[in-house]
Amino acid sequence: MKIIHFSDPHGGGGAEDWMAYFDKRWVGVFNYRFRRRFRHDLSKLQSAVEYILDTRPDVAVCTGDLTSAGQPGEFARVLEILKPLRDSDIPLLYTPGNHDCYVTRPQCVAAVKHAVEYLSCGRYTFDTLPSSVVFDGVEFLIVNTSAPSNLLCSWGFLKSENRDFIAEKCANSPDVPKILVTHYPMYEDHPILRIRHRLFGQKPVISLLESKQLDLVLCGHVHKPSLRVDESGRGECISGSVTRNGTMMEIEYEKTARKFTFRTVEL
C-alpha cells in the first residue's frame, strides 16, 4: 500500500470583510502579508497535485492548514488547486488545521466545513469527526484537534471523545493497522518553549503508540519534515509544509512484513 502525505499549504490573502479587523483574522492576514507570502509558494502545491496524480498512491492525506486565516476566499483558492486530485479516483483524506479553524465567524466556519466534506467526497464531514475509513485493509482514524483559540495562541486539544474514539478503535481488530490522521503532532520535545503552539490531552495516544496498538500518526503543524519511528516504521510522521519546504512524505506499507517505510519527496 502506498500513501502520500502532505500538509500546511497556508494559502492566504487580505482581509475579506471589515469584521476581520476585529477578530483573530487580522493576525493571520498580517502574518501572511509580511511573512508567510514570502515563504510559502502555492505553485508547489500544484506540483504536489501533479506528482500525486502521476504516482497514483492508494491514498493521499492532507493534515491541515490549507489557509492562513480560515477565510472563504483562501479556501476557494486552495480547493481549486486540489480539485484535480479531489476529482480523481485517488481517495483524499483531509483534517483541518488550526489556521483552518481560526475564528467563529459563520462564513469561516461554513468554509472549513465545506472543505472537509468536499475534499473527502462525503466520506465524512466536519460534524461527523472523528471518523474512520478503511482502504486496502488499513484503517485511517481522522480526528479534528483544531478549534478557534485566543489571539496569541495556536493551541490544539485532543478532547475526551476523540481519545475514547481512538482507544476503542485500537482495541478492536488488533490485526488491522491503524493510522491516525490529525493536524498536531503527539510528541512535543519542547513543551514549555512551544506552549503557545502545542497540543493538549495527547498522552493516552502516545501510550497507544508506544504499546504498538496504534501504528502510525500522520500530522502537520510543524513546517519542517521529521520522522519519529521505530525499526518497523511505527511512530509519528510530520510531512512538513508542502509550500514552504516543497516536501511530501511517500509511505509504503508492506503487509507481509507489517512494516512502514518512508521517502521524502522533494518537489
Side-chain angles (χ1 to χ4, degrees), residues 196-215:
R196 294 192 304 112
H197 304 281
R198 60 163 296 188
L199 177 68
F200 294 89
Q202 80 280 34
K203 289 184 179 179
V205 176
I206 291 176
S207 296
L208 291 170
L209 271 173
E210 293 179 347
S211 65
K212 314 299 184 188
Q213 296 177 74
L214 178 64
D215 294 276

Side-chain angles (χ1 to χ4, degrees), residues 80-201:
E80 184 62 27
I81 296 173
L82 293 174
K83 186 177 186 298
L85 174 57
R86 183 264 182 193
D87 290 345
S88 74
D89 57 358
I90 301 168
L92 174 59
L93 305 180
Y94 159 68
T95 190
N98 58 293
H99 283 267
D100 300 332
C101 299
Y102 216 52
V103 292
T104 59
R105 296 292 175 191
Q107 67 269 32
C108 297
V109 174
V112 68
K113 288 186 175 185
H114 167 70
V116 171
E117 186 167 3
Y118 175 79
L119 291 178
S120 69
C121 293
R123 293 182 180 90
Y124 54 89
T125 69
F126 184 95
D127 293 323
T128 62
L129 293 175
S131 294
S132 70
V133 292
V134 177
F135 296 110
D136 198 19
V138 176
E139 187 169 17
F140 293 81
L141 313 179
I142 303 99
V143 173
N144 178 26
T145 48
S146 301
S149 62
N150 67 49
L151 194 65
L152 298 177
C153 294
S154 303
W155 288 327
F157 295 92
L158 193 64
K159 297 179 180 179
S160 59
E161 57 265 33
N162 290 331
R163 296 195 299 268
D164 293 345
F165 170 83
I166 296 167
E168 180 181 350
K169 289 293 183 179
C170 290
N172 296 332
S173 307
D175 293 333
V176 177
K178 306 288 194 305
I179 298 178
L180 177 61
V181 176
T182 187
H183 180 63
Y184 288 84
M186 297 296 114
Y187 291 100
E188 179 54 77
D189 293 325
H190 306 287
I192 302 301
L193 292 175
R194 285 183 47 82
I195 194 164
R196 294 192 304 112
H197 304 281
R198 60 163 296 188
L199 177 68
F200 294 89

